[in-house]
Amino acid sequence: MKTIAKIFALAMSVMMLCAAFAGCGDNGNTIVYGTSADYAPYEFHTMIDGKDTIVGYDVSLAKYIAEEAKMDIEIKDIGFDFLIQELKNGTIDMVIAAMEEDPDRAKEADFSNPYYTSIQYVIVPANSDIATKTEGGVTYIVWEALAGKTVATQTDTTGWIYADAEIDCEGGVLYGTETKHEAMDSANVAADALGTTIDAIIVDELPAKYIAANSTKGFKAYPLYYTGAEGEADSPVEEQYAIAVTKGNTELMEAINAVLAELL
């Protein structure tokens, strides 16, 4: 798979060529695209020419897909944990929001081929006492290092799913270790409490790096790894993003997969 910079360079060029995207479609059809615009750099709000605008890698990809399908696009900003329900309700046609297909979501929506592989990261304060490991030039944090800490995630994200399994559920790596899991509305909300009531945040790689790089408090971001069995190397916590569409919308799904095949 190409790097994300290579993938989205193509999509970004389309966005620049079609500044007023609503004029790009020529058949009167509109794709209603749902996302949760609190997850920079994938989808987030910014001011452009004095107007609040939703931008990001996923937004550029959505616009590219619409242009390839000769459709207009309407963007709806929806809380991440409501996106699949809105697909079921028929208020949106597709979701591109750094979302991974999982068994529960697959019951409610159809998913495209994966378009990007991400790694879960841990954001910690500058003075954190959470231990790191370094192997092969990579410095990372293993689950066990979070024992006894208060760990935050964004509700219903992949980080939340992993934390729920490893902290809250019997058999998890940190189950019974007095580790606390706090689900929050967004990683940005969790970042406001990092270093006070929150010891660490689990979130996808690029949002983690974005939050750390823009922090005025010296936050650090490290990959999250599982400890390998005896004689085996530690391994990162990975996920693959895919695009969700309304169940049975094969025409849109085929168009999406065709575009992804061109890009990847």
Side-chain angles (χ1 to χ4, degrees):
M1 223 177 248
K2 297 179 181 178
T3 65
I4 193 166
K6 179 68 172 180
I7 294 169
F8 288 108
L10 295 173
M12 193 63 71
S13 67
V14 172
M15 184 177 70
M16 290 186 290
L17 291 172
C18 280
F21 191 82
C24 291
D26 61 10
N27 60 6
N29 292 335
T30 299
I31 297 175
V32 183
Y33 156 52
T35 194
S36 183
D38 58 359
Y39 212 56
Y42 293 109
E43 40 268 328
F44 61 102
H45 289 264
T46 192
M47 297 298 293
I48 298 179
D49 295 330
K51 182 179 178 180
D52 180 45
T53 306
I54 299 175
V55 299
Y57 294 145
D58 283 343
V59 179
S60 297
L61 178 58
K63 289 184 175 184
Y64 187 81
I65 289 168
E67 199 246 353
E68 288 293 293
K70 295 182 171 57
M71 293 181 176
D72 297 333
I73 191 165
E74 176 185 349
I75 304 173
K76 288 193 174 183
D77 185 9
I78 301 166
F80 187 86
D81 45 335
F82 294 104
L83 285 168
I84 295 297
Q85 185 59 50
E86 292 302 308
L87 270 179
K88 290 180 63 180
N89 292 344
T91 58
I92 56 176
D93 300 308
M94 71 176 181
V95 172
I96 312 180
M99 179 178 286
E100 181 181 38
E101 178 180 2
D102 66 21
D104 289 336
R105 291 172 183 155
K107 294 175 184 177
E108 312 293 344
D110 291 336
F111 282 83
S112 71
N113 298 328
Y115 66 89
Y116 182 61
T117 299
S118 182
I119 298 173
Q120 291 298 298
Y121 262 57
V122 182
I123 308 173
V124 297
N127 61 350
S128 175
D129 62 356
I130 295 173
T132 61
K133 295 178 68 175
T134 301
E135 295 289 344
V138 178
T139 299
Y140 57 91
I141 291 174
V142 294
W143 282 101
E144 290 85 349
L146 300 175
K149 303 297 184 181
T150 300
V151 179
T153 61
Q154 180 175 342
T155 302
D156 282 352
T157 60
T158 301
W160 179 88
I161 293 169
Y162 273 110
D164 181 65
E166 302 301 351
I167 297 172
D168 301 325
C169 295
E170 188 172 356
V173 174
L174 296 173
Y175 184 76
T177 62
E178 299 186 356
T179 307
K180 296 180 180 179
H181 177 206
E182 297 284 348
M184 296 190 166
D185 290 339
S186 74
N188 293 320
V189 172
D192 290 339
L194 187 62
T196 54
T197 59
I198 300 297
D199 299 307
I201 303 168
I202 297 176
V203 67
D204 292 354
E205 177 181 5
L206 293 187
K209 290 180 175 178
Y210 184 91
I211 290 171
N214 289 279
S215 168
T216 60
K217 300 179 181 179
F219 293 164
K220 298 178 181 179
Y222 300 100
L224 177 61
Y225 274 53
Y226 280 103
T227 300
E230 186 174 354
E232 297 181 358
D234 300 339
S235 58
V237 180
E238 292 186 340
E239 64 173 319
Q240 290 188 313
Y241 298 158
I243 300 169
V245 303
T246 307
K247 276 285 189 183
N249 192 341
T250 55
E251 183 179 0
L252 180 55
M253 180 58 71
E254 289 174 0
I256 289 170
N257 279 330
V259 172
L260 294 180
E262 174 189 335
L263 292 173
L264 302 180

